[in-house]
Amino acid sequence: MASPPQDIRRVLSPEVRLPMGPIRSSLSDDSEGETMGEGTSDANDDSISVLSFVSYPDPAGRKGFTVPDEEPAKTVYEAWEIISGEDTLNWSTWRTIFGIKLGLRWRSMNDGFMEVDPKPGYEQGELAGLHENAIREYEAKNRKKGKSYAQDLANRVFRLDAGIYSRLQQLMDDKIIASNKTPFRRREWRIVVLEEGEFQMTELLPERKYKGIFRRRQEKPAVTRYFIVLRGEEVKSTKEAAGWRLFHRHSNPWWRIDARETQGLRAEHREHFEKVNRRFRVRRTPPPPHPRHVVRL
């Protein structure tokens, strides 16, 4: 008799295990039960740690950051950088009027780019300090405005360029999905620091002139840099043995009740079609063999 189906613990990204053959179920009621296949391998924490993507260093020897086991609800900070360069525009059509050369048409070089990169060169305490310092500096400069740092940050994020805002939103969605693959805890990520600057290639920034008819608008840098600090924290947990239940757009929470109430009708339906099939099976006779398939002795 085949063994009942067993649930297998899946360790998803970033902890993707290397294949090592059949794995014993860690969620089975009977810890000494049968295994799937011939070989066995206990999926304990040590094997997960050794074989996981997080524990395996990258080509530079850096390992992924993981929260200690004794601090499951620890708040985590991450530093990210967005570098954005707009398309280069050059005048393609010129005309001289009264000795003054005027540009009439722009030509785009289609060389714009945008990169979203992690900045691992910060300790957790350092990033938490950056957040606290940003709050203190804002409150010291804007005491009379009556607007909190959190509200000002939300307004600045909302006013970002559409392309940068979209890439930042994708980053947040990826972090939230990756951090919520357990039925026992819910975690959220939020932007706590946003600093806009310029991609700096020299020790000092260049002296920029003001341009425009009235010289009120300063020249924009060719490449803009955004330094961002994300904060991830646990916002809810459950003590239920099996955790929160799964549902999706096509799931039916009342399927057990529906199956119990319609059990008799479904059995009657099956009996009816079985009776019809038996009746047709008696009436049908096998077709004569094709001449090509007749074996002559």
Side-chain angles (χ1 to χ4, degrees), residues 1 11 54-55 70 76-77 84 106 170-171 176 180 184 204 209 213 228 282 285:
M1 181 177 179
V11 183
V54 174
S55 299
E70 60 273 11
V76 177
Y77 292 87
S84 174
W106 288 102
Q170 293 175 9
L171 172 62
I176 291 175
N180 286 277
F184 303 100
L204 297 176
K209 299 179 180 179
I213 300 177
I228 300 160
V282 171
T285 57

Side-chain angles (χ1 to χ4, degrees), residues 55-244:
S55 299
Y56 195 79
D58 68 353
R62 296 171 298 191
K63 294 184 178 181
F65 174 76
T66 55
V67 173
D69 294 341
E70 60 273 11
E71 298 180 276
K74 178 180 175 63
T75 300
V76 177
Y77 292 87
E78 291 184 357
W80 290 79
E81 181 182 66
I82 297 180
I83 300 178
S84 174
E86 298 181 355
D87 292 338
T88 303
L89 299 177
N90 294 323
W91 291 110
S92 61
T93 304
W94 297 84
R95 177 172 295 181
T96 302
I97 301 177
F98 300 109
I100 301 176
K101 192 175 183 180
L102 300 176
L104 300 180
R105 182 178 299 176
W106 288 102
R107 181 180 62 183
S108 175
M109 304 300 294
N110 294 325
D111 55 351
F113 65 94
M114 187 177 300
E115 297 179 0
V116 182
D117 301 316
K119 305 297 291 183
Y122 294 90
E123 299 290 342
Q124 290 293 296
E126 187 177 1
L127 294 176
L130 289 176
H131 181 208
E132 296 173 358
N133 292 336
I135 295 176
R136 284 196 295 265
E137 292 178 2
Y138 176 83
E139 292 177 349
K141 295 179 181 179
N142 303 273
R143 291 182 177 178
K144 299 181 179 180
K145 288 187 176 181
K147 185 187 302 182
S148 64
Y149 170 81
Q151 185 62 59
D152 177 76
L153 176 62
N155 296 342
R156 288 190 289 122
V157 172
F158 179 76
R159 290 194 296 265
L160 288 173
D161 180 75
I164 298 175
Y165 186 91
S166 177
R167 294 293 294 273
L168 188 55
Q169 189 177 42
Q170 293 175 9
L171 172 62
M172 298 288 293
D173 290 342
D174 292 341
K175 295 298 298 183
I176 291 175
I177 293 174
S179 303
N180 286 277
K181 293 182 177 179
T182 170
F184 303 100
R185 302 176 186 274
R186 191 177 75 186
R187 306 179 181 100
E188 291 183 354
W189 289 85
R190 293 291 183 266
I191 301 172
V192 294
V193 175
L194 173 64
E195 297 178 358
E196 181 178 357
E198 179 179 353
F199 184 77
Q200 193 167 340
M201 296 185 293
T202 56
E203 185 176 355
L204 297 176
L205 292 175
E207 296 178 347
R208 286 194 167 79
K209 299 179 180 179
Y210 287 88
K211 66 178 183 177
I213 300 177
F214 300 101
R215 303 292 180 180
R216 293 182 179 179
R217 186 175 59 180
Q218 194 175 12
E219 290 180 324
K220 294 178 60 177
V223 179
T224 306
R225 173 182 177 271
Y226 295 88
F227 178 76
I228 300 160
V229 176
L230 304 182
R231 182 185 65 195
E233 58 185 351
E234 181 179 309
V235 296
K236 192 175 183 181
S237 62
T238 180
K239 296 182 179 180
E240 295 184 9
W244 291 302

Side-chain angles (χ1 to χ4, degrees), residues 253-277:
W254 298 276
W255 70 270
R256 288 183 184 274
I257 299 175
D258 297 346
R260 189 179 302 112
E261 291 179 345
T262 59
Q263 183 176 6
L265 296 175
R266 288 184 287 109
E268 182 180 349
H269 179 79
R270 286 195 302 269
E271 292 176 0
H272 171 73
F273 275 93
E274 289 176 0
K275 185 184 299 183
V276 172
N277 290 334

